[in-house]
C-alpha cells in the first residue's frame, strides 16, 4: 500500500514496541536494558543532550516520523510520573527495551514490558480518557489517533541465537523457522485485535529490519567483513511477508474505516547498507 504523507495540524500518537522506540519506560524499573547514561541522548535537543532513556544518540524513529506528520511534542513514557493528561494532547509511549511480542522474550534482561502488558497499560490510559471526556469523546479521539507498533526484533534475535542451557532450553527443541514465524504473527494478531476492540482504527505496523547485518549476528555467524547472514535475513523476510499478508487481510475485513499500514523497514535499511556513502 502506497501512502502519501501530509503533515497534520495535531494528532495523538500511541507508541508500542521495543528499544527502537522506547522513550524512557525502562528507566522506571529494574532492568539490565537501560539507556540512562551518556552517550545516549547526546544529540537530543529537548533534553539538552542528557540521556532520556531512548536507546539512541537523539530521536527515535517514532519521534522523527511523528514530527514529520506535524507533532509538536513527543509522547511521554507511560511509566513516567504525571503523564496521564498528555494522552489527550500528544499521546503516550508504552515501548520497552528488550521486550517482544512473546512473553518470554527478553527474560535475560530481567525487567521489560512485553507487548501484552503494553496493551494493558493502554487500556488503563483509555479508562482515564473516558473519565475526562466520556465514552463518545474517547471513541472520536481514538478513531483519529495513530497506533504504531515497532516490535518483533528481539523475538527473532532470541530465536536465531544459540540457546542457553542454564535456562532449560536446547537448540534441538527449536521449532522450524516457518512455525516460529507463524507463532509470532498469531500472537501479534491477538494484540492488534485487542487494540481494535479498544477503539484503535489507524495502525502503523513496522516490519523487522535485516538483523542478519547487525554486528551481533555477524559475529555469531563468523561472517567476513561487510557480509550479512543470508540465513537470518531469510527468516526475517519470511516473517515480514506473513505479517504483511495478515495486515492486508485486516484491511479487507475491517476497512475502509480501519487502516493497517505496513512499514517496510527491511528494504529501507538494506538500501542504506548498500548505498551507505549516499546517506553519509
Amino acid at each position: 500500500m502506497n501512502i502519501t504523507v501530509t503533515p497534520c495540524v495535531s494528532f495523538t500518537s500511541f507508541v508500542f514496541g521495543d528499544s527502537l522506540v522506547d522513550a524512557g519506560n525502562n528507566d522506571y524499573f529494574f532492568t539490565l536494558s537501560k539507556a540512562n547514561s551518556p552517550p545516549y541522548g547526546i544529540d537530543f535537543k529537548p533534553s539538552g543532550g542528557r540521556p532520556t532513556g531512548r536507546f539512541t544518540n537523539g530521536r527515535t524513529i517514532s519521534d522523527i516520523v511523528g514530527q514529520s506528520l506535524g507533532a509538536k511534542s513527543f509522547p511521554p513514557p507511560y511509566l513516567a510520573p504525571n503523564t496521564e493528561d498528555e494522552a489527550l494532547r500528544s499521546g503516550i509511549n508504552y515501548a520497552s527495551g528488550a521486550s517482544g511480542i512473546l512473553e518470554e522474550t527478553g527474560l535475560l534482561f530481567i525487567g521489560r514490558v512485553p507487548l501484552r502488558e503494553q496493551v494493558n497499560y493502554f487500556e488503563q490510559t483509555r479508562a482515564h480518557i473516558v473519565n475526562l471526556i466520556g465514552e463518545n469523546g474517547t471513541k472520536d479521539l481514538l478513531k483519529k489517533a495513530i497506533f504504531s507498533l515497532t516490535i518483533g526484533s528481539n523475538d527473532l534475535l532470541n530465536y536465531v541465537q544459540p540457546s542457553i542451557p542454564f535456562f532449560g532450553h536446547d537448540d534441538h527443541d527449536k521449532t522450524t523457522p516457518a512455525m516460529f514465524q507463524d507463532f509470532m504473527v498469531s500472537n501479534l494478531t491477538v494484540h492488534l485485535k485487542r487494540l481494535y476492540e479498544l477503539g484503535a482504527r489507524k495502525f502503523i505496523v513496522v516490519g523487522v529490519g535485516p538483523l542478519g547485518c547487525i554486528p551481533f549476528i555477524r559475529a555469531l555467524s563468523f561472517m567476513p567483513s561487510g557480509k550479512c547472514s543470508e540465513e537470518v535475513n531469510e527468516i526475517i523476510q519470511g516473517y515480514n511477508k506473513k505479517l504483511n499478508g495478515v495486515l492486508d487481510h485486516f484491511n479487507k475485513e475491517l476497512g475502509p474505516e480501519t487502516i493497517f499500514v505496513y512499514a517496510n523497514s527491511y528494504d529501507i535499511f538494506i538500501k542504506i547498507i548498500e548505498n551507505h556513502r549516499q546517506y553519509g
Side-chain angles (χ1 to χ4, degrees):
M1 178 180 295
N2 294 317
I3 301 292
T4 304
V5 175
T6 51
C8 319
V9 175
S10 121
F11 72 94
T12 310
S13 174
F14 296 101
V15 180
F16 304 81
D18 52 30
S19 61
L20 293 172
V21 289
D22 186 350
N25 281 304
N26 279 26
D27 281 354
Y28 295 94
F29 53 83
F30 180 78
T31 176
L32 300 178
S33 177
K34 274 192 191 292
N36 61 349
S37 59
Y40 291 120
I42 55 171
D43 299 312
F44 193 67
K45 289 179 183 172
S47 71
R50 290 186 305 276
T52 61
R54 287 169 169 81
F55 289 75
T56 168
N57 58 300
R59 297 171 294 166
T60 66
I61 193 67
S62 63
D63 293 333
I64 294 165
V65 171
Q67 279 193 323
S68 301
L69 289 170
K72 301 293 181 236
S73 61
F74 306 119
Y78 174 80
L79 294 175
N82 308 315
T83 58
E84 281 184 323
D85 291 343
E86 284 297 320
L88 292 175
R89 289 188 285 271
S90 59
I92 299 285
N93 184 308
Y94 306 92
S96 169
S99 68
I101 295 167
L102 309 178
E103 294 287 311
E104 61 271 23
T105 295
L107 189 65
L108 280 173
F109 293 93
I110 306 171
R112 75 272 182 228
V113 185
L115 184 56
R116 178 190 57 79
E117 203 171 334
Q118 292 180 33
V119 177
N120 286 346
Y121 286 163
F122 168 71
E123 192 166 10
Q124 292 170 32
T125 298
R126 188 190 189 283
H128 178 73
I129 297 171
V130 170
N131 284 338
L132 293 173
I133 61 174
E135 185 65 38
N136 289 339
T138 300
K139 283 180 179 173
D140 287 342
L141 175 80
L142 298 181
K143 220 182 279 182
K144 297 168 188 166
I146 294 176
F147 289 74
S148 66
L149 292 91
T150 307
I151 200 158
S153 296
N154 293 323
D155 303 283
L156 284 156
L157 278 174
N158 278 14
Y159 177 76
V160 299
Q161 72 187 25
S163 296
I164 300 168
F166 176 76
F167 281 89
H169 296 298
D170 190 313
D171 280 334
H172 298 299
D173 296 333
K174 276 188 178 174
T175 59
T176 65
M179 286 170 68
F180 189 74
Q181 292 158 356
D182 291 341
F183 187 54
M184 279 180 64
V185 170
S186 66
N187 274 270
L188 181 57
T189 299
V190 168
H191 301 308
L192 290 171
K193 282 181 176 173
R194 192 162 156 226
L195 286 171
Y196 172 80
E197 285 159 8
L198 290 167
R201 293 296 180 267
K202 291 184 171 70
F203 294 84
I204 298 172
V205 184
V206 183
V208 174
L211 297 177
C213 300
I214 69 173
F216 173 65
I217 293 297
R218 287 167 54 211
L220 277 181
S221 309
F222 300 104
M223 302 305 299
S225 179
K227 298 291 182 187
C228 301
S229 168
E230 292 303 323
E231 182 187 0
V232 170
N233 280 347
E234 279 175 20
I235 294 172
I236 307 298
Q237 287 174 294
Y239 166 75
N240 285 339
K241 187 176 180 183
K242 290 175 180 180
L243 171 62
N244 201 359
V246 165
L247 299 180
D248 280 345
H249 172 74
F250 275 154
N251 279 323
K252 288 174 185 140
E253 185 186 353
L254 303 171
E257 292 82 11
T258 301
I259 184 166
F260 289 82
V261 175
Y262 171 72
N264 186 353
S265 64
Y266 186 95
D267 285 353
I268 291 168
F269 277 99
I270 285 291
K271 192 176 173 187
I272 291 169
I273 291 166
E274 290 174 350
N275 305 286
H276 56 91
R277 286 189 180 84
Q278 183 187 326
Y279 292 92

